[in-house]
Amino acid sequence: MLRMPSCLLKLTRMVLSHKPCALFILIIGFVSFAYIKLYWGIWKDPKSRAPTYGLSAEISCAHYVPSALDIAGGPSPPTGNVFFVETSEQTSPSYLFSCSVESVARTHPASRVVVLMKGLAKGNASLPKHWAFSLLSCFPNVEIRPLDLTELFSGTPLAQWFLQPQRQQEPHFLHVLSDACRIVLMWKFGGIYLDTDFIVLKNLENLTNALGIQDDNELNGAFLSFKAKHQFMELCMQDFVQNYNGWVWGHQGPELLTRVFKKWCSLGTIKSMSCKGVSALAQEVVYPIPWQDWKKLFEAVSALELQKLLKNTYAVHIWNKLSHGTKLEIPSQALLAQLYSQFCPATYAKMKQD
C-alpha cells in the first residue's frame, strides 16, 4: 500500500478548507507520485520484465511438424542415426544451422537426428534459451547433446592425437577437429554425417557406404554415409594419424578422403563409381552447386529451373565458409530462399518474422 508523503497531506488539509486550486494540485501530485512509484517498481523486479529470447511459447509445434504417420504411412522403428557436429563453443545456432537440422528431421522422420555441440555443458539437462533450440525441440526425432571429445575418440587411433595440447595452436584446428569427429562417428556408430550447412531435400538412407564428389579432382566429407566399423572409415582414421598435417587447409578433410578412396580403388583420378562396396556419388547428388559457383545460391531461379536443377539431387551444400556474409532477401526468388521455404518452413517463418 502506498504511503502518502507529508506534502500531500498538507494539500489534503487545504482541499478540506474548500480551495479549488489546491484540489487541482492535489490530483496532479498524487497521479505523478503513483506513476513514478509504479515505474520504478516494474524495473526493480526482474520477474516482471518481458523475456528477450526463446520461442517455446511462440511456436506452435503442431503447425510445423509433420506427423510420422502422415509421412511414413504408419509407425516405423528408428532406421538409423543422422549426425551433426559443432566443434566450437558456439551455442547460438544460425538460420542455416536450424534449416539443416529441420530439413533432415522432416525427410527422416523415423531416424534419430543427433546434434552434438561442444559448447553444451555435460550433464546439464536444459538447453540455452535460443529460438533455434525451441524450434528444433518441436521435432520428436531431434536430440541435442553435449559433445564429449575424449569419450568420442577413445578406443580409436585418434585418441592420442587429440590429447596432444599443441594441436590447438594450429590455424585450422576447429575444422580439423570436425574432420576427426565425422570419421570416428561413422566408424563407431555408422549412419549419416552432415555438415550444418546442408539443406536436405530427400531421404538419404539408400545412399549407403557413400560420399560425394565435389569437383573433378576431389571428394568431400560434408556428407558421409557408412555402416559401423566399415574398413574404409578405419583406413581414414589410420591415414588421419599417419599422414597428419594440421597446417594445410583440407589435408585432413577432402584431401584425406580423396587419398584413401584412390588407394581403395587403385585410381589415379576421381570419378563417379562404386568400388569394393564404397560409392563416390556424382556431383549433382549432394554438391549440385560447385563451391566455385556458390553465388548462384543468391540468384533468382524460376520454379521450372529449380525443379530441373534439383532433379537428381538429394541435398544441397550451401558452402557457408564462402557464403555466410552474403545478404539473402526474404522472401525472394533466390535459389537459397526457395530452398528455405520448401524444405525448412519453420526456420523460414522465423526468418520472415525477423
Side-chain angles (χ1 to χ4, degrees):
M1 186 173 179
L2 300 180
R3 293 184 60 186
M4 188 176 291
S6 58
C7 60
L8 292 183
L9 288 173
K10 292 179 180 178
L11 286 173
T12 304
R13 295 191 189 99
M14 293 173 67
V15 169
L16 294 176
S17 63
H18 307 290
K19 294 183 178 180
C21 182
L23 177 60
F24 175 77
I25 295 172
L26 175 61
I27 294 171
I28 294 299
F30 184 83
V31 170
S32 300
F33 170 73
Y35 174 81
I36 291 169
K37 194 76 175 177
L38 179 62
Y39 178 86
W40 286 110
I42 289 173
W43 288 102
K44 282 162 65 177
D45 181 9
K47 293 181 181 179
S48 62
R49 299 185 188 182
T52 57
Y53 42 65
L55 290 183
S56 41
E58 299 175 32
I59 292 179
S60 173
C61 292
H63 176 69
Y64 293 120
V65 181
S67 165
L69 294 174
D70 295 338
I71 294 178
S76 302
T79 55
N81 296 320
V82 183
F83 293 101
F84 291 94
V85 174
E86 176 56 68
T87 53
S88 74
E89 299 293 333
Q90 178 65 253
T91 56
S92 301
S94 65
Y95 295 119
L96 182 53
F97 185 114
S98 175
C99 181
S100 296
V101 179
E102 180 186 348
S103 67
V104 170
R106 291 180 180 279
T107 52
H108 299 71
S111 297
R112 293 169 65 237
V113 182
V114 183
V115 183
L116 299 169
M117 302 186 74
K118 185 173 178 286
L120 296 181
K122 189 176 180 181
N124 186 356
S126 60
L127 290 169
K129 291 185 177 180
H130 186 275
W131 66 265
F133 294 128
S134 298
L135 186 153
L136 294 174
S137 68
C138 292
F139 295 87
N141 56 335
V142 172
E143 300 176 15
I144 301 174
R145 299 179 175 184
L147 173 61
D148 187 329
L149 292 166
T150 303
E151 181 181 340
L152 176 62
F153 293 136
S154 67
T156 76
L158 279 72
Q160 287 301 315
W161 163 82
F162 176 66
L163 293 176
Q164 298 176 32
Q166 70 270 23
R167 298 299 182 208
Q168 299 193 27
Q169 307 305 316
E170 295 168 353
H172 311 302
F173 177 72
L174 285 181
H175 298 282
V176 171
L177 189 57
S178 178
D179 293 330
C181 289
R182 68 191 69 185
I183 60 177
V184 171
L185 283 167
M186 290 295 95
W187 184 78
K188 272 193 168 184
F189 306 108
I192 296 167
Y193 166 84
L194 289 165
D195 277 0
T196 55
D197 57 350
F198 259 110
I199 298 179
V200 177
L201 323 183
K202 302 172 186 173
N203 191 289
L204 299 163
E205 288 173 348
N206 63 329
L207 306 177
T208 307
N209 299 331
L211 64 171
I213 297 174
Q214 72 170 15
D215 55 40
D216 294 337
N217 304 309
E218 208 163 45
L219 297 164
N220 194 308
F223 158 80
L224 295 172
S225 177
F226 280 87
K227 291 182 179 178
K229 306 298 188 291
H230 197 283
Q231 187 183 359
F232 185 85
M233 283 292 107
E234 186 174 356
L235 292 173
C236 288
M237 291 192 298
Q238 292 172 5
D239 186 284
F240 188 99
V241 175
Q242 293 169 4
N243 299 305
Y244 185 78
N245 187 339
W247 294 84
V248 177
W249 172 261
H251 186 81
Q252 302 304 118
E255 291 182 19
L256 180 153
L257 295 166
T258 303
R259 290 193 301 270
V260 174
F261 188 78
K262 284 180 176 180
K263 291 178 183 177
W264 180 265
C265 298
S266 301
L267 291 174
T269 56
I270 292 296
K271 58 183 178 180
S272 176
M273 64 180 294
S274 183
C275 173
K276 294 193 286 186
V278 176
S279 298
L281 304 174
Q283 190 170 350
E284 64 184 0
V285 178
V286 288
Y287 303 109
I289 308 296
W291 66 266
Q292 300 92 331
D293 299 330
W294 64 268
K295 290 182 180 179
K296 288 184 178 180
L297 291 160
F298 298 86
E299 296 174 2
V301 295
S302 68
L304 186 62
E305 288 175 311
L306 179 63
Q307 185 178 3
K308 183 179 178 181
L309 175 67
L310 304 179
K311 181 180 179 182
N312 299 312
T313 298
Y314 282 72
V316 180
H317 194 219
I318 308 303
W319 307 108
N320 187 55
K321 183 174 174 59
L322 299 169
S323 65
H324 71 276
T326 306
K327 184 178 180 181
L328 177 65
E329 295 292 336
I330 296 291
S332 73
Q333 292 302 304
L335 171 57
L336 183 53
Q338 294 194 57
L339 292 175
Y340 273 109
S341 175
Q342 292 187 38
F343 301 103
C344 54
T347 301
Y348 183 71
K350 171 62 178 167
M351 294 173 76
K352 288 197 298 183
Q353 174 187 321
D354 290 348

